[in-house]
Amino acid sequence: MVALALLALCIDSHSQVTAIPSDERLASAGTDARSEQQWLAELGPDRAAVAAHPDSAQAFLTLGKALHALGETQAASQALDQALKLESNLPEALIEKGSILADEAHWPEAADLFRRAAEVSPRSAVAHLWLGDMLLRTGNFTGAAGEFATVTKIDDRNSGAWQGVGLVRLQQGDFSGAADAFRNALAIRPGYLDADEGLAHALGAAHQWPEAAEILRKVVAAQPDSAAEAVALGTALARLGKKEEADQLFARAKEFLDRELMALRAKGENNWGVELRSEGKAADAVAAFHRALDDDPDYCEAHDNLGGVLWMQKDAAAAMPEFQAAVRCDPNLASARNNLGTALLYASHDVDGAIVQFHAAVAVRPGFALAHLNLGKALAAKQEFAGAIVEFRSALAIDPALAAAHLGLGLALAEETNTVSAEARAEMAEGLHLDPTLRAIVPQQYLTKLP
Amino acid sequence: MMPSFDARRAGLQTRRSFLRQCAFAPCFAIPLFRGGAVGQPVLTPGPWFVDVAARAGLAAFRDVCGDPAKNYLVETLGSGVALFDYNNDGLLDVLLVNGSSFEMLANPALPRSSSRLYRNNGDGTFTDVTRESGLMNEGWGVGVTVGDYDNDGYRDVFITNFGSNALFHNNGNGTFTNVTHEAGLEGGNWSTGCAWGDYDRDGRLDLYVARYVDFEKEQMPTPGTNTYCTYRGVPVACGPRGLPGLADLFYHNEGNGSFREVSMDTGVRDTIRGYGLGVVWLDYDNDGWPDIFVANDSMPNYLWHNQRNGTFEEVAMEAGCALSADGRAQSNMGVAVGDYDNDGWLDLFVTHFSEDYNTLYHNERGQFEDVTYEAGLGTVSYTQLAWGTGFFDFDNDGWKEIFVANGHIYPQADQAGNHYWQQNQLFRNLRNGRFSLVPAEESGFTQARSSRGAAFGDLRGRGQMDIVVNNIDSQPFLYEFSRAASGRWVRFRLVGTTCNRDAIGARVLVTAGGQTQMDEVRSAGSFVSSSDVRLHFGLADAPAVDKVQIRWPDGSVEEHVGLGTNREYTIRQGEKL
């Protein structure tokens, strides 16, 4: 069975606020910095712990954190809900769940959870920092200022809190106060680009153009493709009488902005294609993806999605170049790697080529269950059962309801040992229980041993 | 007898703190009233404005705009207002533009919604004269601009629609004729802001029409299907981000009742097809030639600089009004033009989406600077979604205040921690470059609605400015100035003779009481609306107007001296008062 990747969606919202980036909130709070590979390795034991201790809020919290780290937000959310059902004021669960809601722009709901966490753990800098961020986003500047101030009292080396203080003061028109706060953030964390931007903005607002320009030069060097930074620097230089350089920056910014607009529209067409595809209107979806690529020929996800629909239309010859184009334009696009691997495996029977692509997919996105499943299948096809077993297990740790992974694991265990162990039998049975249609692909010698 | 008072209202302390103080000091021995002696209560004046729409006869109007759920962007935009004297009786009349619905568009048998023209009866009430006037726009109306395009002395009306636009020629006898086709102004798809102005000084009004999204209902994603279709995680109508835009249209008045689309010829090339909304003409660089500012939703604004040779150059980025101070493209909706600090340069105030601020661009000799934060406007409207706006001197103190009409586009905002119905706002000019929000109880803007277009004018002829606001799916607001006294004032009605008859684009400088103020005659602005073309100046307590300088749209300049106050002057170009 061919597994197609999730069709890519764009990320955007109406939100305009320049708030504290989530990595800063987490980093400044000293939150867990395990790699995705480590999270993946712990996922199996985490699931086992939940199964063994269904009344343990801590077990569900641990599982939820791992799933969240792997990008499985829906499953993570469910695990965290369960943790909070068992222990309603578990601060870590409140914060973890709040952070998921925050990332989905559910700011008021997230704020409620962070507020509860802060009440339960008044010394939790991360709870106050998150709460401050949510209040800032929802326009409660006084409340946000209070939360950021609380963080600085708990931990005066928290750069995120000073960044928050700076943002609030800037909006309130207190430019020197804002500059002081941004400078504090930079003193704690040199090279903190958001704080540099904030400082330059505060200095510009106070007409301190020379220093603002100096800082913005650094920021532009770090973000050469940012229209906003180019405009900010151009404005500062224009104020300093450097019209020629300013005009060059404005021209560059206009190019970026025009490109951004076209990319935005391409995303809109891509989204429309995804919706049409989900409604079963494949031909219309193909047209929408083509329009997206007309607007932005370098739109990697649109190539990938176009390939996906063509593949569903059983047009492998047309799909393959689209997957290849997607991988060429973004080698880190995990879904395109997975789709190209699938096409290589099933259309070209290029098992080695497919394995390369699946490996790349899971390297980029360790929480990508389908890619683990496909890699397991490809390795099994090469009789590399030990490797296949690892991949099937990874897939199941991420998504225990993946029928093909259960079946694949059962078959690989049996093939590797040449015997149908109890585990192999149980996995095969679970796979067929979850998806009875898979029975058609189970070799006869195993079918006879199954219930 | 001790006067009763409310300590909290008087801005003193709460009862609890009051009692606590009393434990240590003889409280009744100290003066209790701010600015007054004991026994002389300070009277709290009523609000500045009172909504009299019902009493005035405007309450029957509803700006119908699609389904209440607002699943499509076109249902969310709402419509504008025009205040103009259609029958030359000296009284300002009210035109409320109406939306429509997909059902009405699809089924001609259904009753039509229509724009409504209300004649001013001169006694604070209005009469609906839509049918007899023939000014019936039955399309899905959005914007309006009023101008005498054929210089016959009667003001004509152009209305933008989702669908074909409409030009209504004023016949001079209280009726209008739809001459859209003959004029060649149909446009098409989804037009929004529009404004008349004479860019080539030929004495005839040309027309700028902004357009928004290339909208086809069948091609629209449904709410919640992607991140362009959510607000704070809640499914809402999609767009404009991610949707195809439409190029703006620019028409030259050919002088024979027809217009020619000249955007390419004049360099007004909206090649990236921006999401255009608010449009206003202004001479931002004081070179005597009218320029055009276009507020673009979710992308940089345009500032079309008039090159004085029949062409324009887009200079918003260089001029500093394309983006916010930190280089962000904002969701630009409505635009106000005015010299709020009386420095002789026209400033801009642009309204925006919620979770953002409305931007005040101060004009420093033709170079704009976003001074929102330092003007004290950074946090006060952060959760509001703002549309109609204007600089106007409501208390006649010689300094222009700011009005903002608010209302979310998503009814679902109520589920997302914000509000669909929002209060409108009044910002008092503190005369030092800063503004302060006038509390709703004081401004009178206590009722929340989802407001859109707003227009300004003295509807009662009393020397005080009133405001009419179009509210989506609701009756309009007619905010009548309700306080008895304010500063002195003077008003000018300009009549062009060698320039366009409405003198649109004329600039007036008024010197009185040691201060010079400036404004220009405009055909439209705010959000898709058209205010009174007469220029109104508050004079505080100046006993007389020392000097009035008029720069007519054709460049000629006149001066008049020794004018009185609290009256309106009609000034014909080239004639003495």
Side-chain angles (χ1 to χ4, degrees):
Chain A
M1 185 172 140
V2 174
L4 272 177
L6 296 170
L7 297 178
L9 291 175
C10 49
I11 297 168
D12 202 4
S13 77
H14 276 293
S15 167
Q16 302 285 342
V17 74
T18 311
I20 305 162
S22 54
D23 61 335
E24 170 59 19
R25 285 179 304 231
L26 297 174
S28 65
T31 303
D32 209 321
R34 272 173 277 188
S35 71
E36 283 190 56
Q37 301 286 0
Q38 288 169 307
W39 284 112
L40 182 61
E42 289 166 21
L43 200 50
D46 291 344
R47 285 202 184 279
V50 163
H53 306 286
D55 295 333
S56 166
Q58 193 61 47
F60 278 101
L61 167 63
T62 306
L63 175 62
K65 285 175 75 171
L67 288 165
H68 188 196
L70 290 166
E72 301 296 316
T73 49
Q74 201 178 344
S77 213
Q78 286 167 0
L80 293 165
D81 285 344
Q82 188 59 28
L84 289 168
K85 200 171 161 189
L86 292 165
E87 194 176 330
S88 62
N89 282 330
L90 189 61
E92 266 194 282
L94 289 165
I95 292 168
E96 198 76 24
K97 172 77 182 184
S99 70
I100 290 174
L101 289 170
D103 287 344
E104 291 170 349
H106 291 287
W107 302 325
E109 295 94 326
D112 287 344
L113 294 184
F114 296 133
R115 193 174 288 111
R116 274 168 59 192
E119 282 165 8
V120 178
S121 279
R123 298 284 302 165
S124 166
V126 71
H128 287 288
L129 195 57
W130 268 109
L131 178 55
D133 190 2
M134 294 304 100
L135 295 175
L136 184 59
R137 285 173 191 270
T138 49
N140 181 348
F141 295 95
T142 310
E147 295 304 323
F148 295 136
T150 301
V151 179
T152 60
K153 282 177 198 150
I154 296 168
D155 171 15
D156 69 353
R157 300 285 300 163
N158 191 310
S159 56
W162 286 112
Q163 174 73 3
V165 171
L167 288 171
V168 173
R169 287 179 180 166
L170 188 61
Q171 305 240 11
Q172 291 173 332
D174 174 8
F175 304 132
S176 65
D180 289 346
F182 291 128
R183 284 189 211 280
N184 283 349
L186 284 162
I188 296 162
R189 187 176 159 194
Y192 185 2
L193 214 54
D194 291 334
D196 268 328
E197 284 175 28
L199 178 56
H201 192 172
L203 292 168
H207 292 193
Q208 295 174 32
W209 298 111
E211 193 183 350
E214 193 182 323
I215 294 164
L216 284 166
R217 279 192 196 281
K218 264 195 313 185
V219 176
V220 167
Q223 300 177 42
D225 293 338
S226 163
E229 308 316 333
V231 171
L233 177 55
T235 302
L237 292 174
R239 292 287 192 273
L240 292 169
K242 297 179 178 175
K243 190 174 179 313
E244 200 175 324
E245 198 181 348
D247 284 347
Q248 284 172 4
L249 283 158
F250 290 142
R252 211 167 92 190
K254 276 184 187 175
E255 271 177 42
F256 294 152
L257 286 164
D258 287 358
R259 222 181 298 154
E260 275 175 23
L261 183 66
M262 295 312 286
L264 209 62
R265 287 185 177 145
K267 282 182 181 174
E269 292 289 359
N270 180 66
N271 290 343
W272 181 228
V274 171
E275 188 169 341
L276 291 167
R277 154 77 184 78
S278 69
E279 290 171 3
K281 297 173 181 169
D284 291 340
V286 166
F289 293 133
H290 274 301
R291 286 197 300 273
L293 289 167
D294 287 345
D295 280 340
D296 181 2
D298 298 328
Y299 190 6
C300 315
E301 285 89 347
H303 279 294
D304 189 27
N305 289 334
L306 176 57
V309 182
L310 292 168
W311 181 265
M312 293 296 280
Q313 290 180 310
K314 302 194 187 310
D315 188 351
M320 185 80 84
E322 295 301 333
F323 293 141
Q324 286 166 333
V327 167
R328 246 194 331 272
C329 95
D330 184 359
N332 289 325
L333 189 58
S335 66
R337 291 284 193 180
N338 178 63
N339 287 340
L340 179 57
T342 303
L344 289 168
L345 187 61
Y346 291 93
S348 307
H349 307 292
D350 176 3
V351 181
D352 289 332
I355 286 172
V356 168
Q357 297 304 325
F358 293 137
H359 266 305
V362 297
V364 172
R365 193 171 136 199
F368 194 174
L370 285 177
H372 284 288
L373 169 63
N374 287 332
L375 179 54
K377 285 180 183 176
L379 291 169
K382 284 195 74 179
Q383 312 284 310
E384 293 177 14
F385 295 113
I389 288 165
V390 170
E391 296 305 324
F392 288 134
R393 287 196 197 282
S394 292
L396 289 169
I398 300 160
D399 183 359
L402 214 49
H406 282 289
L407 181 63
L409 177 57
L411 291 172
L413 287 167
E415 290 288 334
E416 191 187 36
T417 56
N418 244 347
T419 55
V420 182
S421 64
E423 186 191 4
R425 190 178 300 116
E427 290 296 340
M428 283 191 249
E430 179 65 10
L432 295 179
H433 168 70
L434 290 168
D435 184 357
T437 64
L438 293 177
R439 184 171 286 272
I441 60 169
V442 180
Q444 191 59 34
Q445 73 264 28
Y446 297 128
L447 272 181
T448 56
K449 294 177 179 159
L450 292 175
Chain B
M1 190 174 78
M2 284 295 295
S4 65
F5 78 103
D6 179 345
R8 192 188 294 269
R9 190 164 178 186
L12 300 175
Q13 61 274 72
T14 62
R15 183 173 177 273
R16 184 176 296 172
S17 64
F18 177 72
L19 293 176
R20 197 165 51 237
Q21 276 190 4
C22 287
F24 306 101
C27 289
F28 295 100
I30 57 174
L32 296 175
F33 296 102
R34 257 189 321 193
V38 177
Q40 294 176 337
V42 174
L43 297 175
T44 304
W48 287 100
F49 293 91
V50 172
D51 173 28
V52 297
R55 191 193 74 201
L58 301 183
F61 178 83
R62 292 279 186 289
D63 180 14
V64 175
C65 205
D67 187 89
K70 312 290 177 210
N71 286 326
Y72 296 95
L73 195 61
V74 74
E75 298 175 309
T76 66
L77 208 55
S79 316
V81 186
L83 301 185
F84 72 112
D85 180 6
Y86 85 97
N87 55 357
N88 286 0
D89 64 356
L91 299 170
L92 268 188
D93 309 299
V94 177
L95 173 66
L96 289 156
V97 180
N98 202 349
S100 186
S101 68
F102 291 116
E103 289 71 25
M104 284 186 213
L105 294 189
N107 185 356
L110 286 175
R112 306 283 83 188
S113 65
S114 168
S115 58
R116 292 274 154 190
L117 178 62
Y118 291 92
R119 187 185 65 222
N120 191 333
N121 299 324
D123 59 359
T125 67
F126 293 80
T127 300
D128 184 347
V129 294
T130 310
R131 191 159 294 279
E132 55 262 45
S133 73
L135 209 172
M136 296 181 69
N137 178 64
E138 294 187 341
W140 194 316
V142 183
V144 58
T145 179
V146 180
D148 182 4
Y149 76 90
D150 57 352
N151 292 329
D152 65 355
Y154 293 92
R155 310 199 66 221
D156 311 296
V157 178
F158 180 78
I159 297 178
T160 57
N161 284 309
F162 170 55
S164 173
N165 299 322
L167 175 63
F168 293 92
H169 176 253
N170 190 330
N171 301 320
N173 58 0
T175 68
F176 290 81
T177 302
N178 186 330
V179 295
T180 315
H181 182 67
E182 300 90 299
L185 291 176
E186 289 95 335
N189 206 309
W190 192 354
S191 303
T192 52
C194 51
W196 300 102
D198 180 9
Y199 74 92
D200 54 358
R201 288 185 170 180
D202 66 356
R204 294 188 289 263
L205 290 176
D206 310 301
L207 181 64
Y208 193 101
V209 179
R211 292 201 295 174
Y212 197 48
V213 166
D214 187 358
F215 187 94
E216 282 181 57
K217 184 169 177 252
E218 292 68 31
Q219 295 283 315
M220 285 298 121
T222 45
T225 47
N226 64 67
T227 47
Y228 295 145
C229 312
T230 61
Y231 170 67
R232 293 188 178 184
V234 175
V236 295
C238 304
R241 291 175 189 206
L243 299 180
L246 286 168
D248 295 349
L249 301 169
F250 191 38
Y251 295 100
H252 180 258
N253 186 337
E254 300 288 282
N256 57 1
S258 73
F259 291 79
R260 182 167 54 95
E261 211 286 318
V262 292
S263 53
M264 287 295 132
D265 302 340
T266 55
V268 181
R269 296 189 180 99
D270 182 14
T271 49
I272 57 168
R273 295 171 286 129
Y275 308 123
L277 288 176
V279 178
V280 69
W281 294 65
L282 76 160
D283 177 12
Y284 82 95
D285 56 351
N286 288 0
D287 67 352
W289 290 75
D291 313 295
I292 304 167
F293 179 87
V294 182
N296 284 317
D297 192 356
S298 306
M299 54 171 288
N301 299 311
Y302 294 144
L303 179 60
W304 298 107
H305 178 238
N306 193 327
Q307 310 265 70
R308 313 182 209 179
N309 60 2
T311 69
F312 290 79
E313 184 185 13
E314 204 289 293
V315 297
M317 189 86 76
E318 294 80 353
C321 58
L323 307 160
S324 66
D326 55 352
R328 281 182 301 112
Q330 298 177 280
S331 296
N332 306 286
M333 308 287 193
V335 54
V337 175
D339 179 12
Y340 73 88
D341 57 349
N342 292 331
D343 67 352
W345 296 82
L346 289 171
D347 310 297
L348 292 168
F349 183 74
V350 185
T351 54
H352 293 129
F353 205 85
S354 57
E355 289 81 39
D356 201 354
Y357 59 77
N358 299 321
T359 308
L360 178 64
Y361 293 107
H362 180 248
N363 187 340
E364 293 172 4
R365 308 184 71 76
Q367 187 70 39
F368 290 99
E369 185 184 356
D370 174 354
V371 296
T372 311
Y373 293 152
E374 65 187 86
L377 295 167
T379 59
V380 283
S381 54
Y382 186 84
T383 54
Q384 278 80 7
L385 201 166
W387 304 86
T389 184
F391 286 109
F392 75 125
D393 183 3
F394 76 92
D395 54 358
N396 285 337
D397 69 346
W399 297 82
K400 292 177 180 67
E401 276 72 31
I402 300 174
F403 170 83
V404 180
N406 294 312
H408 218 283
I409 66 168
Y410 308 128
Q412 299 84 352
D414 292 322
Q415 304 156 33
N418 203 331
H419 302 287
Y420 182 51
W421 283 8
Q422 301 176 338
Q423 287 178 338
N424 297 325
Q425 293 175 307
L426 182 64
F427 297 97
R428 180 185 281 286
N429 190 330
L430 301 180
R431 311 178 194 183
N432 58 359
R434 291 181 65 82
F435 290 83
S436 72
L437 176 65
V438 178
E441 294 71 24
E442 200 181 317
S443 66
F445 305 153
T446 49
Q447 281 218 63
R449 287 289 183 275
S450 199
S451 296
R452 295 295 187 267
F456 307 83
D458 179 1
L459 291 163
R460 301 290 298 269
R462 300 179 304 178
Q464 277 131 358
M465 299 295 276
D466 310 303
I467 313 166
V468 179
V469 180
N470 209 341
N471 296 319
I472 199 163
D473 294 335
S474 303
Q475 67 185 54
F477 288 134
L478 194 172
Y479 293 129
E480 190 175 273
F481 187 88
S482 70
R483 289 199 183 175
S486 64
R488 291 171 183 273
W489 56 276
V490 67
R491 187 157 52 225
F492 301 100
R493 176 171 170 262
L494 304 184
V495 181
T497 53
T498 59
C499 66
N500 74 82
R501 191 180 168 97
D502 278 344
I504 287 168
R507 175 174 288 202
V508 174
L509 282 83
V510 173
T511 304
Q515 177 171 277
T516 299
Q517 298 177 59
M518 178 267 280
D519 209 347
E520 288 182 351
V521 180
R522 278 179 287 277
S523 65
S526 180
F527 176 69
V528 300
S529 294
S530 181
S531 295
D532 186 7
V533 284
R534 295 174 300 174
L535 293 181
H536 177 104
F537 295 90
L539 301 172
D541 54 1
V545 175
D546 305 319
K547 185 174 77 175
V548 175
Q549 187 189 73
I550 301 166
R551 190 191 69 201
W552 296 90
D554 59 8
S556 60
V557 177
E558 294 173 10
E559 271 190 18
H560 303 274
V561 295
L563 283 71
T565 63
N566 288 350
R567 60 167 291 189
E568 176 178 317
Y569 289 91
T570 297
I571 302 180
R572 292 179 64 84
Q573 186 181 14
E575 294 180 9
K576 287 186 177 169
L577 276 174

